[in-house]
Amino acid sequence: MTIMGNAILVTGGAGFIGSNFVLQWIKNSGTAVVNLDLLTYAGNPGNLAEIAGDSRHQLVRGDICDAELVAALLREHRPRVIVHFAAESHVDRSIVDPGAFIRTNVQGTFTLLEQAKLYWSELDDAGRREFRFLHVSTDEVYGTLEAEDPAFSETTAYAPNSPYAASKAASDHLARAYFHTYGLPVLTTNCSNNYGPFQFLEKLIPLVILNALEGRNLPVYGDGGNVRDWLFVEDHCSAIRAVIDRGRAGETYNIGGNSERKNLDVVTSICDIVDELRPDAALGPRRKLITFVTDRPGHDRRYAIDASKIGRELGWRPEEKFDSGLYKTVAWYLDHGSWVQSVRTGAYREWIRKNYEERIQS
Ligand code: NAD
Ligand code: TYD
């Protein structure tokens, strides 16, 4: 089915951030989305249940590395924007299986850029001027900070430390090169850690919420002193919309939540919220479930984002405060037991066994 008029193409729109973005886009713009997603372990059409049957959304199961498929979708739907989320996104998995990250994040981004360039070059003048390719990336490309270092800005040198970050850095460089070499109107966003509804259960915040609820150990890597800058996912999505609307082609924009927290503080806050919302007298305070385990190899100590450029140039600021956003997120996971159950596939259980059984408690 061809989606009529003014559609955008989203990749990875059945994943965590992509699905939040698709829901927000349809609500706010009312225009159609073609959603290309391979539905790997991280992709879940259930995230899009709210728009099931809506003619403005079409989910296409397919691979961004498939040039013919990408070309056919561009020819058929003639999108004015491509928003590229699809990626392998979990650092721990990139340590165990880096090949999948090179394939999707590097080869897949290259395939999309190449097909976008061919499509764009055949548009008329107005179409070429309006077209945007928004490449969604991460602050992890900048490497790690010491406690006193200034936050990452758009001019911070790239220094990726994990295979995930290296693969995203490579994709950012390709996106940049397609602007400078071919004039393809590419925009890149580098965002800090997201949290909120629909995040896959392997990431820190959902993992800790569910383990706390179910009285299982809460695995904190190393000393728990690593710092992340947390951003509520809906704020990330609104930032991406601002960049599509008002961003300057060829530019990069850092996106962050001004909410730096140590992992241990995030975990104890989650324990306290779960205690409040689901008290369990037999279990007692969930903080006692915190278990320090072997650190992640090459674990970046601190991330912090200077988001002043997007604030100054595009007028975007995060709306959610970390404490209220975390509370909402915990409440969402506690209220969505059937979503959680549907995500707990065999593949997820196998990953938990692989990642945690060999970690030594300290
Ligand atoms: P996710 O792992 O939850 O979702 C990724 C989606 O991409 C899934 O739906 C998956 O099925 C799909 N996908 C994977 N390989 C594919 C392929 N070859 N072809 C088509 N689809 C494929 O990831 P996320 O957390 O939603 O992250 C989305 C993007 O945002 C990524 O590019 C990530 O690097 C970036 N990002 C994430 C965060 C974060 O905190 N999660 C922060 C900054 C940037
Ligand atoms: P994660 O959610 O994997 O995001 P990222 O690695 O992209 O920052 O992890 C967030 C932080 O939490 C990171 O410093 C690693 C740490 N962490 C733990 O301490 N225990 C865990 O079980 C997980 C998954 C992460």
Side-chain angles (χ1 to χ4, degrees), residues 14-311:
F16 164 47
I17 306 172
S19 61
N20 277 282
F21 178 82
V22 169
L23 296 174
Q24 194 184 91
W25 179 270
I26 288 189
K27 211 174 284 163
N28 283 276
S29 82
T31 60
V33 175
V34 179
N35 185 353
L36 173 61
D37 195 301
L38 188 56
L39 300 181
T40 66
Y41 77 94
N44 180 1
N47 297 357
L48 300 156
E50 202 183 309
I51 50 169
D54 189 319
S55 61
R56 291 168 301 177
H57 176 243
Q58 184 179 336
L59 181 61
V60 178
R61 184 171 196 187
D63 193 336
I64 56 166
C65 298
D66 181 344
E68 277 179 27
L69 173 65
V70 173
L73 290 174
L74 294 174
R75 247 191 335 265
E76 182 180 357
H77 299 289
R78 310 198 64 72
R80 64 182 180 86
V81 180
I82 298 175
V83 192
H84 174 35
F85 293 98
E88 288 291 336
S89 69
H90 189 39
V91 173
D92 291 318
R93 284 184 190 257
S94 82
I95 295 166
V96 175
D97 180 17
F101 287 70
I102 302 307
R103 183 182 177 282
T104 286
N105 300 0
V106 185
Q107 185 70 30
T109 302
F110 163 68
T111 305
L112 274 180
L113 285 164
E114 187 60 16
Q115 293 310 315
K117 181 191 79 178
L118 294 173
Y119 164 70
W120 170 78
S121 65
E122 289 172 2
L123 295 174
D124 61 20
D125 284 354
R128 268 205 302 280
R129 262 196 316 277
E130 278 168 26
F131 181 79
R132 293 288 181 272
F133 183 114
L134 195 147
H135 173 61
V136 179
S137 192
T138 167
D139 61 355
E140 303 193 25
V141 297
Y142 298 121
T144 186
L145 295 169
E146 297 298 328
E148 303 309 322
D149 287 342
F152 302 131
S153 77
E154 288 79 0
T155 54
T156 300
Y158 274 34
N161 290 320
S162 70
Y164 164 65
S167 68
K168 291 297 290 187
S171 67
D172 292 9
H173 290 324
L174 284 169
R176 176 188 162 91
Y178 269 69
F179 171 75
H180 285 279
T181 305
Y182 306 112
L184 184 71
V186 173
L187 300 140
T188 299
T189 54
N190 294 90
C191 187
S192 62
N193 285 62
N194 284 216
Y195 68 101
F198 302 121
Q199 187 164 31
F200 193 73
L201 307 179
E202 66 194 356
K203 301 281 169 71
L204 178 72
I205 288 182
L207 183 110
V208 167
I209 295 170
L210 293 173
N211 281 14
L213 176 69
E214 293 162 4
R216 280 182 277 118
N217 284 349
L218 310 177
V220 173
Y221 296 168
D223 64 1
N226 303 66
V227 172
R228 297 292 181 265
D229 169 18
W230 293 96
L231 179 70
F232 193 59
V233 63
E234 288 181 13
D235 278 328
H236 186 187
C237 297
S238 74
I240 290 172
R241 288 196 294 115
V243 175
I244 292 171
D245 287 349
R246 304 188 290 284
R248 286 183 289 135
E251 291 292 315
T252 67
Y253 296 91
N254 279 359
I255 305 171
N258 280 325
S259 295
E260 285 184 56
R261 295 286 187 284
K262 287 188 175 141
N263 291 341
L264 189 55
D265 294 336
V266 172
V267 173
T268 51
S269 298
I270 294 172
C271 289
D272 296 348
I273 301 170
V274 178
D275 285 346
E276 181 193 327
L277 295 175
R278 295 287 165 90
D280 184 332
L283 189 59
R286 262 90 170 185
R287 286 180 181 214
K288 71 174 190 227
L289 300 170
I290 291 173
T291 309
F292 293 94
V293 298
T294 320
D295 208 353
R296 172 187 280 173
H299 195 178
D300 287 337
R301 191 66 180 166
R302 173 176 166 243
Y303 301 143
I305 278 275
D306 173 352
S308 55
K309 177 176 171 183
I310 188 171

